[in-house]
């Protein structure tokens, strides 16, 4: 078997947006203080007919267009999410039907906070390398919400990214993968509780920074690569401050991470976040570019990937809607319409 890596990719970002200034207006916060805290201008909002399933379907269809394969060639589908619409019913089985995949495909939904989408890529890569499947579909998708007025209300959003992994038609080879996980209670939601809770003192240094930095350093130590060997780097982005700071901690210049930061324009799409950032890099990178990607999921863990683009990359970019397309095609809504879309306004009969 030759190179194993990304054969096709696709994203989906809802067109509705709400600005952090509008949210600040409703809750009486200083918009400049909010902007300074999160470096987020606006975030995406799923429409009343959108959820994690519809977003996953659209992203997967874009990935199939770029891969140039039939959905029946897929042998597996893994979906990383923490906001599926059903408590007991997977998104993966719906994708099999919606995309026209074979019923004999392996299928499962995965959960590890915002890291599960990258775990889906790890699993698909393993199945392809083992020869058990020819192509595997990995999806990271979320349509998340914070408690109204809470700091998550300013940043969490909806979006999806899908990656088709295979060894034929590889646009970006997956050179190495390294994992780093620990029991760090920085973010959780108990069953029956509508909104997640932050363990504030654990969120930054013990959780996000420790896991991403250790995963990235371990990958580089294992491979002999240095920060200067990477042309681009993309990290999980709960806000726009954290990935900039982690790049500084790793000695990676800002110009290598700017392209992968999209959270300032769409918010934190959770399992879609780092994967949408990677897609934006792929759609602008040249052949032979090496990319460092490090995911993060609360609880807590990270996966670090080293990828290198091939000569097939440029011809695949224009086959489907790009990240830039979704970033630019948007419709702004106010907070009242946002609450309506989220079904937080109830009509009493």
């Amino acid at each position: 078997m030759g190179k194993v890596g990304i054969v096709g990719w696709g994203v989906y970002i809802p067109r509705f947006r709400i600005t952090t200034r509008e949210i600040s207006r409703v809750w009486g916060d200083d918009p400049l203080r909010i902007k300074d805290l999160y470096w987020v201008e606006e975030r995406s909002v799923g429409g009343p007919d959108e959820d994690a399933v519809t977003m996953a379907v659209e992203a997967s269809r874009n990935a199939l267009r770029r891969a140039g394969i039939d959905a029946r060639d897929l042998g597996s589908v893994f979906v990383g999410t923490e906001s599926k619409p059903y408590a007991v019913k997977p998104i993966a089985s719906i994708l099999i039907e919606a995309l026209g995949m074979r019923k004999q495909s392996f299928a499962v939904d995965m959960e590890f906070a915002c890291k599960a989408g990258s775990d889906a890529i790890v699993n698909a890569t393993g199945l392809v390398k083992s020869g058990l499947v020819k192509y595997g579909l990995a999806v990271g998708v979320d349509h998340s919400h914070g408690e109204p007025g809470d700091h998550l209300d300013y940043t969490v959003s909806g979006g999806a990214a899908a990656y088709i992994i295979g060894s034929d038609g590889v646009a970006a080879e997956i050179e190495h993968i390294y994992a780093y996980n620990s029991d760090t209670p920085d973010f959780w939601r108990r069953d029956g509780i509508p909104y997640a809770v932050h363990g504030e003192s654990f969120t930054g240094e013990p959780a996000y920074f420790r896991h991403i930095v250790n995963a990235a350093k371990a990958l580089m130590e294992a491979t002999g690569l240095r920060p200067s060997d990477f042309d681009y780097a993309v990290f999980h982005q709960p806000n726009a401050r954290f990935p900039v700071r982690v790049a500084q901690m790793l000695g990676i210049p800002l110009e290598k991470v700017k392209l992968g930061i999209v959270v300032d324009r769409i918010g934190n799409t959770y399992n879609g976040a780092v994967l949408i950032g990677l897609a934006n890099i792929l759609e602008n990178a040249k052949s032979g570019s090496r990319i460092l990607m490090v995911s993060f999921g609360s609880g807590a863990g990270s996966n670090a990937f080293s990828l290198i683009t091939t000569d097939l990359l440029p011809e695949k970019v224009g086959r489907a809607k790009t990240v830039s397309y979704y970033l630019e095609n948007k419709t702004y809504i106010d907070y009242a319409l946002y609450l309506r879309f989220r079904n937080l306004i109830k009509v009493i009969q």
Side-chain angles (χ1 to χ4, degrees):
M1 180 177 292
K3 300 174 181 178
V4 173
I6 298 167
V7 176
W9 72 93
V11 306
Y12 177 78
I13 303 167
R15 68 180 177 90
F16 294 111
R17 304 285 199 279
I18 187 168
T19 66
T20 51
R21 179 173 290 275
E22 168 65 7
I23 302 172
S24 299
R25 180 189 67 80
V26 172
W27 293 106
D29 286 325
D30 180 356
L32 295 179
R33 182 185 73 86
I34 295 298
K35 183 178 179 180
D36 184 61
L37 278 175
Y38 308 121
W39 295 7
V40 175
E41 296 277 354
E42 57 195 47
R43 63 182 185 84
S44 62
V45 179
D49 59 346
E50 293 185 306
D51 59 16
V53 173
T54 64
M55 296 180 196
V57 169
E58 290 300 315
S60 299
R61 286 173 174 166
N62 282 331
L64 283 167
R65 292 184 186 105
R66 284 212 174 85
I69 65 172
D70 190 279
R72 293 182 60 81
D73 293 329
L74 295 169
S76 66
V77 52
F78 298 109
V79 180
T81 186
E82 59 178 82
S83 56
K84 61 182 183 177
Y86 300 99
V88 182
K89 177 173 170 55
I91 294 176
S93 60
I94 301 174
L95 282 176
I96 287 177
E97 295 288 352
L99 301 177
M101 294 173 58
R102 291 181 296 110
K103 302 298 188 294
Q104 295 78 21
S105 301
F106 297 101
V108 69
D109 284 5
M110 309 173 67
E111 187 174 342
F112 194 136
C114 302
K115 182 174 78 76
S118 69
D119 287 320
I121 293 178
V122 173
N123 284 13
T125 302
L127 285 181
V128 172
K129 285 191 173 183
S130 73
L132 199 56
V133 304
K134 184 176 182 180
Y135 298 105
L137 174 63
V139 181
V141 59
D142 270 305
H143 187 209
S144 300
H145 305 296
E147 184 175 6
D150 182 72
H151 67 99
L152 288 178
D153 200 21
Y154 288 96
T155 56
V156 298
S157 60
Y163 285 82
I164 294 174
I165 308 301
S167 61
D168 185 19
V170 173
E173 179 189 1
I174 298 174
E175 295 184 300
H176 305 285
I177 306 174
Y178 204 99
Y180 186 92
N181 298 285
S182 76
D183 181 16
T184 305
D186 61 314
F187 185 82
W188 65 90
R189 182 177 66 83
R190 288 188 177 274
D191 188 37
I193 303 301
Y195 301 109
V197 177
H198 262 285
E200 298 290 349
S201 61
F202 288 87
T203 299
E205 299 298 339
Y208 179 92
F209 294 105
R210 178 164 69 104
H211 289 78
I212 287 187
V213 168
N214 282 331
K217 286 185 174 179
L219 181 143
M220 286 187 268
E221 289 172 3
T223 60
L225 294 170
R226 298 169 296 176
S228 59
D229 293 319
F230 294 96
D231 300 289
Y232 300 97
V234 58
F235 307 105
H236 177 60
Q237 38 204 271
N239 53 58
R241 294 177 65 100
F242 277 20
V244 170
R245 183 179 167 194
V246 82
Q248 293 171 340
M249 295 170 71
L250 290 169
I252 297 174
L254 179 60
E255 59 266 22
K256 292 186 177 183
V257 300
K258 287 194 298 184
L259 193 58
I261 298 176
V262 295
V263 65
D264 55 326
R265 289 164 285 176
I266 61 171
N268 178 10
T269 54
Y270 281 31
N271 272 290
V274 72
L275 300 184
I276 294 175
L278 174 62
N280 200 40
I281 290 174
L282 291 174
E283 290 161 13
N284 291 274
K286 297 179 180 179
S287 302
S289 298
R290 180 173 277 116
I291 305 166
L292 172 66
M293 179 179 76
V294 190
S295 63
F296 172 76
S298 293
S302 288
N303 291 320
F305 297 76
S306 173
L307 307 101
I308 187 162
T309 60
T310 74
D311 292 339
L312 296 181
L313 176 70
E315 69 184 62
K316 297 197 175 198
V317 173
R319 294 181 183 177
K321 293 177 180 177
T322 62
V323 174
S324 294
Y325 169 86
Y326 287 109
L327 292 178
E328 298 303 323
N329 285 268
K330 54 190 176 182
T331 299
Y332 289 105
I333 60 174
D334 61 17
Y335 201 78
L337 199 55
Y338 161 67
L339 292 177
R340 178 186 164 193
F341 286 0
R342 288 183 53 192
N343 292 318
L344 290 177
I345 298 177
K346 303 298 182 183
V347 178
I348 300 176
Q349 300 293 339

